[in-house]
Amino acid sequence: MADSEFAFELRVCAWAERHWHPEGAGRPSLVARQLGTRDRRWDTVVVEVAPEALAARANFGTKRLDSDLLHVVRNAPADWQFYRDVLPYPGYPWRYVREAVHRAGDRGVVETRKNGNRIELRRKWAYPDWVERIVAVENKPDLDASAADALADQLERDVALSLADEVWLATQSDGERVERALLQEMPVEAGILVFDGGEASVEWHPRSLDTDGAGTRITERPSGGEFDQSAATFEYVDAEWKAEKRLEIAERAYERGWRSYLDTMRPDCRHFAVKRAEHGYVPYCGAKDREQTAAECSGSCREYEPEPPAWRQQGWPLKGGPGSGIRDVLEERRQRQR
């Protein structure tokens, strides 16, 4: 199915974009990749959305609203008021809040004005409650015993923190080895997706996690040796922190989508192309005659050759050169998913 974890990851994202949810009826959703928190990054993130609220979110533009902007936008009043009178104290100096208010005004997501020495603001639109659920998927096409042991630890941490509503593991079909590694090593709360020939089947159904309550962040685990009797150390994470992080992750997913790999690769190389896979387009290298990874498709690649200037000057085969054409096509698809 895939030659690398990167290629498998793109296929999982493309499948999720077309067929989510694995357990039945389709659910409106956005799919992104390589998102999470400072301590944990998920391979694939599926944000299930409320369609009407998602359409209202479009009023704020295609760029993400970071934590500071969300603080301003979500608390902006309907009528003009001094920003310090209406915005909750965020726990850091007000001068940073003032900067965020100016940024929000420059972005056009709130209205601002100066009244003497005071900066006043009012909202242009109410920020919608557009995120219904967040699902995290860990991708591992070649799952052996050692990989299953490492993934089991990661998924147990995800379950304990319960930042996502569901946690899944996606892998490729590999007979008995997959069945043993998955069903015996993975936490029972995590779902298991097995891909075979581009189609996915549910091998284990996940449990819904308590995202509205406090979570547990495992900070250190014992080695598990014969003489190791030490206990794991952990800390509690309050529900408010989780709610804020979930919305920040959803905003980043809204901006990036899963085709953001193009931002770190070199479509301006004359060998760069895209080819049709099972559920969408994937990057392909004509020089290597295979799908390349994001890490090797860079300016330091030995096969890298910039597009000839004549391609861009003559507008062949698309205006701006093939690389620009590929960017335009994938960006149009990302916009369509929004």
Side-chain angles (χ1 to χ4, degrees):
M1 178 180 177
D3 298 329
S4 65
E5 288 193 24
F6 174 72
F8 180 70
E9 182 176 289
L10 297 187
R11 283 166 167 78
V12 172
C13 291
W15 174 87
E17 190 173 78
R18 285 174 174 253
H19 301 292
W20 192 262
H21 186 273
E23 296 182 342
R27 302 178 186 177
S29 57
L30 298 173
V31 181
R33 50 180 293 273
Q34 295 298 320
L35 292 179
T37 66
R38 180 187 62 183
D39 302 314
R40 178 74 168 103
R41 178 177 294 181
W42 294 315
D43 293 334
T44 300
V45 175
V46 181
V47 182
E48 296 179 9
V49 302
E52 292 184 1
L54 179 64
R57 165 60 184 82
N59 289 326
F60 297 89
T62 58
K63 293 184 178 180
R64 70 183 175 102
L65 300 176
D66 59 31
S67 59
D68 293 337
L69 291 179
L70 284 171
H71 180 70
V72 174
V73 168
R74 297 176 71 193
N75 295 288
D79 299 315
W80 292 108
Q81 293 191 52
F82 179 42
Y83 76 95
R84 292 184 63 167
D85 289 340
V86 294
L87 300 181
Y89 179 59
Y92 48 81
W94 281 107
R95 65 178 181 274
Y96 298 116
V97 180
R98 185 184 178 114
E99 292 177 3
V101 170
H102 283 303
R103 285 202 295 127
D106 292 340
R107 285 267 299 266
V109 294
V110 297
E111 293 181 300
T112 60
R113 72 179 184 184
K114 196 169 184 179
N115 185 2
N117 292 326
R118 293 188 162 199
I119 300 299
E120 297 181 337
L121 78 158
R122 70 176 179 184
R123 70 180 179 219
K124 298 179 69 174
W125 312 279
Y127 186 82
D129 186 14
W130 62 280
V131 180
E132 293 196 338
R133 300 198 326 146
I134 294 180
V135 180
V137 183
E138 189 71 19
N139 303 317
K140 192 66 177 178
D142 302 320
L143 190 65
D144 54 22
S146 60
D149 185 61
L151 285 173
D153 178 74
Q154 294 177 2
L155 295 178
E156 286 173 358
R157 293 171 185 266
D158 292 338
V159 169
L161 185 59
S162 61
L163 186 60
D165 294 88
E166 287 180 1
V167 175
W168 290 80
L169 172 64
T171 188
Q172 290 187 123
S173 177
D174 196 16
E176 296 181 358
R177 185 180 67 175
V178 167
E179 181 179 354
R180 175 183 61 80
L182 292 179
L183 298 185
Q184 294 185 9
E185 300 295 334
M186 298 300 114
V188 296
E189 296 87 353
I192 298 170
L193 278 174
V194 175
F195 283 80
D196 187 3
E199 299 302 321
S201 60
V202 179
E203 295 296 319
W204 189 266
H205 295 271
R207 294 182 184 176
S208 294
L209 304 178
D210 183 16
T211 57
D212 295 327
T216 303
R217 180 185 289 118
I218 300 173
T219 56
E220 186 177 357
R221 306 192 69 160
S223 61
E226 181 180 356
F227 303 104
D228 187 356
Q229 301 297 322
S230 58
T233 59
F234 61 91
E235 60 186 14
Y236 290 114
V237 177
D238 60 50
E240 183 179 355
W241 179 90
K242 288 169 55 176
E244 292 176 356
K245 287 300 176 185
R246 284 166 55 84
L247 189 53
E248 291 173 26
I249 291 171
E251 280 286 336
R252 288 157 62 196
Y254 182 86
E255 177 186 47
R256 293 176 55 180
W258 65 271
R259 296 175 179 86
S260 56
Y261 64 84
L262 200 63
D263 298 333
T264 57
M265 300 179 78
R266 298 304 302 258
D268 59 331
C269 175
R270 69 184 303 159
H271 302 298
F272 189 96
V274 292
K275 74 170 185 176
R276 183 78 180 181
E278 292 87 351
H279 303 287
Y281 292 101
V282 294
Y284 185 83
C285 179
K288 298 180 175 66
D289 196 23
R290 61 174 172 81
E291 295 177 43
Q292 72 274 48
T293 67
E296 64 183 341
C297 185
S298 64
S300 60
C301 174
R302 298 178 65 179
E303 306 293 339
Y304 172 69
E305 294 183 48
E307 292 177 341
W311 288 12
R312 295 187 292 272
Q313 293 171 358
Q314 297 177 11
W316 178 89
L318 297 169
K319 184 177 180 180
S324 296
I326 291 172
R327 283 189 179 277
D328 292 342
V329 169
L330 295 185
E331 178 57 36
E332 187 274 334
R333 288 178 175 269
R334 174 161 54 180
Q335 183 63 31
R336 185 190 306 169
Q337 287 306 121
R338 292 197 188 104

